[in-house]
Amino acid sequence: MNFDVMIEALPDLIDGLWLTLGLVALALLVGFVIALPTALARLSPLVPLRVVAGAYVFFFRGTPLLVQIFLIYYGLSQFEGVRDSILWPVLREPFWCTLIALALNTGAYTAEVFRGGILSVPHNQIEAARAVGMSAVTAFRRIIWPQTIRQALPAYGNEMILMVKASSLASTVTLMDITGVARTLASETYMPIEIYTMAAMIYLALTFSMSQVIHLLECKMDVTRARA
Amino acid sequence: MIPKHILAAALAAFLAHSAAADTLRIATEGAYPPFNFVDESGEVQGFDVEIAKALCAEMKADCEIVTQAWDGIIPGLKAGKYDAIVASMSITEKRKKAVDFTDPYYAAGAALIAPKGSDITYTPEGLDGKTIGVQRATTYATLVEKKFPGATLKTYDTVENHNLDLQAGRLDGVVAQQVLMYNWLEKEGGDAFEFKGDPVKDVEYIGSGAGIAVEKGNTELLDRLNGALDTIQQNGTYAEINAKYFPFSISAE
């Protein structure tokens, strides 16, 4: 192991870390916004809503993220109509293309996590809420959602960590995230072990901090333990 | 005193040997068009093959071209199955430990490719502020960084991918191997693009090029090949063969 090379690689890899963080944070945010309505649509009594939401989840959960990124980045750009459209300033940039793919992907998974959480709420609680005069929205806000998020948090935390690792695919469309920087440095220095070890340590630090935050939230939301 | 018939036999053997030495067996791969490939009728063709034949004609040697799979091509030379390899083999330090190389007989430069009509030039000023694509882990990235520091560099996993982004208009140009890109420019999709300026041929970036490999220590053949190579480059034979395959010079000189 050449420790000098590892230390020298650190500043560049930290530059990559900011891009990784930006991608993951935005993807999780957008994914969350997509996931909630999708989960509700999947449980909706309206067939068209169920079909659309179902198809979306089916596609994004059933295909590899790399293929999704390539379809959006290299695929869409092959159509002149897309290149001439007002969307091109966005779709031209690898950052936005990757963000769209990551957000749609995590949105589909998170929707399933939320759907499971919502289904775990006993039906008689909802009936009771409606019986005391709560509207559907109030019942969702006060009764269903707090229990959903508590149920879903472990699985959602898992999804957040998976997103950090999935973001490494950004390096395939020229982005210089942690992995992108590492691949370039490794090919320049011919010292892949040193460079990738350093990159792995940065990822570990990132996922470790995230899992600690998630754990803290889990403890906070655990009503039974809080009372004990 | 040595009996006459033994002397005669020895002389005959010597003559036979020197005659055999003038039949050169040259190996190529036959799977690297347009440099060496087997055509429909089973004949080996290509730039390498024509260069080999021109060298043989110059050396007044009878040549036999044989094909050999790439991974066994150096072992075959070491085993004496043939005398030389003319197969677009890049001269590298590692290979130099196993075989001796002639002077490079061609070197494909690093070319800039941009849309037809683009006013981009292959100069530090011309590439200033331009977005240039290169393949990751190639020397072209180093070349752009060092010679054209004003350019924004984007690295791709494959040549196909940077070509796609060039077509999509995300790149102002790509820097890649000249011959490879020439093949692409000839194809559909590549026809909207062209070479800009003269390719970079610095040994520092593209290596010293492709050489003819001979068994280590076979300086006699090495000198003859180098001499013949010099002659065909002087007398225009090389340029003639070059022009048959590429509209630009791939001479290493």
Side-chain angles (χ1 to χ4, degrees):
Chain A
M1 287 286 245
N2 185 332
F3 290 102
D4 289 344
V5 171
M6 293 173 78
I7 303 292
E8 272 169 41
L10 198 55
D12 286 341
L13 288 169
I14 297 289
D15 281 346
L17 171 66
W18 303 128
L19 184 64
T20 297
L21 275 176
L23 266 179
V24 173
L26 282 172
L28 286 174
L29 190 75
V30 179
F32 187 91
V33 173
I34 296 171
L36 192 53
T38 306
L40 291 174
R42 290 267 280 158
L43 295 166
S44 160
L46 296 171
V47 177
L49 277 183
R50 280 214 307 270
V51 169
V52 171
Y56 160 64
V57 171
F58 174 71
F59 179 78
F60 280 93
R61 224 169 39 148
T63 54
L65 180 60
L66 182 64
V67 172
Q68 293 161 17
I69 291 178
F70 276 10
L71 272 177
I72 294 172
Y73 186 77
Y74 290 117
L76 289 180
S77 66
Q78 297 309 299
F79 299 103
E80 237 166 84
V82 174
R83 292 208 298 270
D84 294 337
S85 76
I86 50 159
L87 288 175
W88 185 239
V90 173
L91 290 175
R92 188 180 197 278
E93 298 303 323
F95 181 85
W96 297 114
C97 288
T98 310
L99 181 63
I100 291 167
L102 287 174
L104 287 173
N105 190 274
T106 187
Y109 277 98
T110 309
E112 286 303 280
V113 170
F114 286 168
R115 191 172 68 97
I118 293 169
L119 285 175
S120 75
V121 179
H123 199 66
N124 47 19
Q125 284 192 23
I126 301 164
E127 279 172 358
R130 298 308 299 273
V132 297
M134 285 189 200
S135 69
V137 175
T138 313
F140 182 79
R141 195 165 50 82
R142 287 198 189 157
I143 310 296
I144 303 174
W145 181 245
Q147 298 188 77
T148 298
I149 197 73
R150 197 186 306 150
Q151 276 291 330
L153 199 56
Y156 184 56
N158 203 25
E159 172 59 22
M160 287 164 82
I161 283 167
L162 284 173
M163 242 331 76
V164 171
K165 298 186 285 176
S167 72
S168 65
L169 290 174
S171 67
T172 58
V173 289
T174 76
L175 285 180
M176 285 298 185
D177 68 325
I178 301 172
T179 305
V181 172
R183 291 175 69 184
T184 302
L185 287 178
S187 73
E188 277 170 9
T189 58
Y190 299 107
M191 294 197 183
I193 304 250
E194 284 82 352
I195 304 288
Y196 288 123
T197 303
M198 211 63 204
M201 278 170 18
I202 295 175
Y203 276 114
L204 272 178
L206 187 56
T207 49
F208 177 75
S209 341
M210 281 175 77
S211 63
Q212 289 307 104
V213 172
I214 295 158
H215 184 69
L216 216 72
L217 281 175
E218 275 175 34
C219 291
K220 258 193 134 157
M221 284 188 187
D222 192 337
V223 192
T224 46
R225 211 189 298 177
R227 279 185 189 151
Chain B
M1 168 130 188
I2 306 162
K4 248 188 194 161
H5 66 274
I6 293 182
L7 256 183
L11 190 66
F14 174 71
L15 284 176
H17 180 258
S18 58
D22 249 27
T23 307
L24 278 180
R25 285 166 65 85
I26 294 177
T28 196
E29 189 199 4
Y32 190 57
F35 290 97
N36 57 73
F37 58 96
V38 179
D39 68 9
E40 295 88 348
S41 58
E43 290 282 313
V44 225
Q45 299 279 354
F47 179 83
D48 287 341
V49 178
E50 291 201 35
I51 290 292
K53 285 179 178 164
L55 291 176
C56 290
E58 193 50 49
M59 297 187 300
K60 300 196 171 45
D62 286 328
C63 280
E64 194 190 338
I65 311 272
V66 295
T67 55
Q68 163 69 49
W70 185 252
D71 55 359
I73 208 159
I74 288 181
L77 179 75
K78 309 229 64 139
K81 282 162 77 181
Y82 31 78
D83 308 289
I85 303 169
V86 187
S88 292
M89 186 177 281
S90 297
I91 302 171
T92 63
E93 288 308 312
K94 222 171 161 184
R95 286 186 184 131
K96 272 190 200 165
K97 289 185 181 137
V99 296
D100 282 344
F101 280 106
T102 59
D103 300 329
Y105 66 96
Y106 81 81
L112 171 70
I113 295 92
K116 281 179 181 166
S118 155
D119 57 4
I120 197 168
T121 56
Y122 206 10
T123 58
E125 303 78 48
L127 292 187
D128 195 39
K130 304 285 188 195
T131 308
I132 300 299
V134 293
Q135 190 183 359
R136 199 194 303 272
T138 60
T139 51
Y140 307 118
T142 327
L143 185 157
V144 174
E145 271 172 1
K146 289 210 180 133
K147 288 188 83 125
F148 311 105
T152 308
L153 196 65
K154 286 183 112 193
T155 48
Y156 293 82
D157 290 345
T158 63
V159 169
E160 285 73 25
N161 283 351
H162 69 46
N163 290 353
L164 280 174
D165 256 11
L166 185 63
Q167 285 174 312
R170 288 191 181 111
L171 295 172
D172 295 311
V174 300
V175 171
Q177 204 246 47
Q178 191 181 11
V179 172
L180 200 68
M181 291 312 288
Y182 173 66
N183 288 339
W184 180 68
L185 293 179
E186 296 289 287
K187 283 190 206 138
E188 203 194 324
D191 46 13
F193 303 90
E194 62 184 5
F195 289 119
K196 301 281 183 186
D198 290 323
V200 173
K201 289 209 169 180
D202 306 16
V203 172
E204 190 190 346
Y205 302 118
I206 64 160
S208 30
I212 300 168
V214 300
E215 173 64 313
K216 243 187 158 11
N218 191 352
T219 45
E220 189 225 326
L221 180 58
L222 201 65
D223 291 344
R224 283 176 74 201
L225 284 167
N226 273 332
L229 188 60
D230 239 17
T231 314
I232 64 164
Q233 287 191 315
Q234 301 294 335
N235 69 15
T237 313
Y238 184 95
E240 218 171 275
I241 297 170
N242 186 331
K244 267 178 78 178
Y245 290 88
F246 310 105
F248 43 83
S249 165
I250 59 169
S251 161
E253 299 198 321

